[in-house]
Amino acid sequence: MHSTGYTGAHVDNVYMSRGSSRLLTCWQPFGDVPVERGTLAVCEGSHRLPGFKHFQETYGNFDVEAGNLHGSGWFTENPHEVSKFGGQWRTSDFRAGDVLIFTMRTVHMSTANLTDYIRISCDTRWQPAGEQADRRYVGDFQSPEMKFGVHSTIVDKPKESVSMEDMRDKWTL
């Protein structure tokens, strides 16, 4: 997957919405990563621009697990489908030590890795210590039955599950 793989456009809130609303994602590459090796791209202003209001009220509030979604949870694989709401996609070459911090409502995705080299990165979540964490991701826990993102398969989902396409039609997005 490293030579053609990427992550589609999504907000982290669809995966991690059962704790603090002030959760932040911190993405850090391990080493220098040029864009062609698959960096993170964010849609600037997607967490606050008026054009994203309906997007955030629908997709942004969707809990992919509670909603029995089959598929990755990505809103789309096509960044142009997000650009229509406003904002501009931003990315850059990253250097060792760089960090990108963004909200759970920021639309982001990765660029495709067009090289024969792997890109190694880490994403961690941070929140105010006094606020409740999403219990699915802290303490002693079992691997969830349902998997999303790049680990998703149709086989993992219950028969009564819905697709992102179904939900986008319902939300008129």
Side-chain angles (χ1 to χ4, degrees), residues 43-168:
C43 187
E44 185 177 40
S46 57
H47 64 296
R48 61 172 169 71
L49 288 173
F52 282 90
K53 186 177 188 299
H54 184 62
F55 173 92
Q56 292 289 355
E57 290 172 346
T58 54
Y59 171 73
N61 282 333
F62 187 60
D63 181 319
V64 294
E65 187 176 358
N68 290 323
L69 182 80
H70 70 78
S72 63
W74 302 340
F75 180 73
T76 183
E77 294 180 5
N78 182 348
H80 298 295
E81 291 182 24
V82 173
S83 300
K84 68 183 178 186
F85 303 117
Q88 290 187 346
W89 285 100
R90 303 282 190 199
T91 193
S92 179
D93 294 335
F94 285 81
R95 306 228 351 131
D98 286 347
V99 173
L100 180 59
I101 299 172
F102 53 94
T103 75
M104 301 308 286
R105 297 285 188 159
T106 302
V107 181
H108 60 285
M109 66 186 301
S110 72
T111 60
N113 185 345
L114 304 175
T115 72
D116 290 330
Y117 299 97
I118 62 170
R119 183 260 291 158
I120 302 175
S121 63
C122 175
D123 57 293
T124 56
R125 305 298 184 281
W126 300 86
Q127 70 178 51
E131 294 189 16
Q132 181 177 351
D134 188 326
R135 297 191 187 279
R136 295 173 293 174
Y137 303 106
V138 296
D140 294 330
F141 60 92
Q142 301 291 322
S143 178
E145 291 181 29
M146 297 175 73
K147 298 193 183 333
F148 299 97
V150 296
H151 301 291
S152 172
T153 65
I154 300 294
V155 178
D156 292 336
K157 308 302 183 255
K159 289 184 179 175
E160 63 277 358
S161 64
V162 297
S163 70
M164 185 55 65
E165 291 75 23
D166 294 337
M167 296 309 296
R168 286 177 59 165

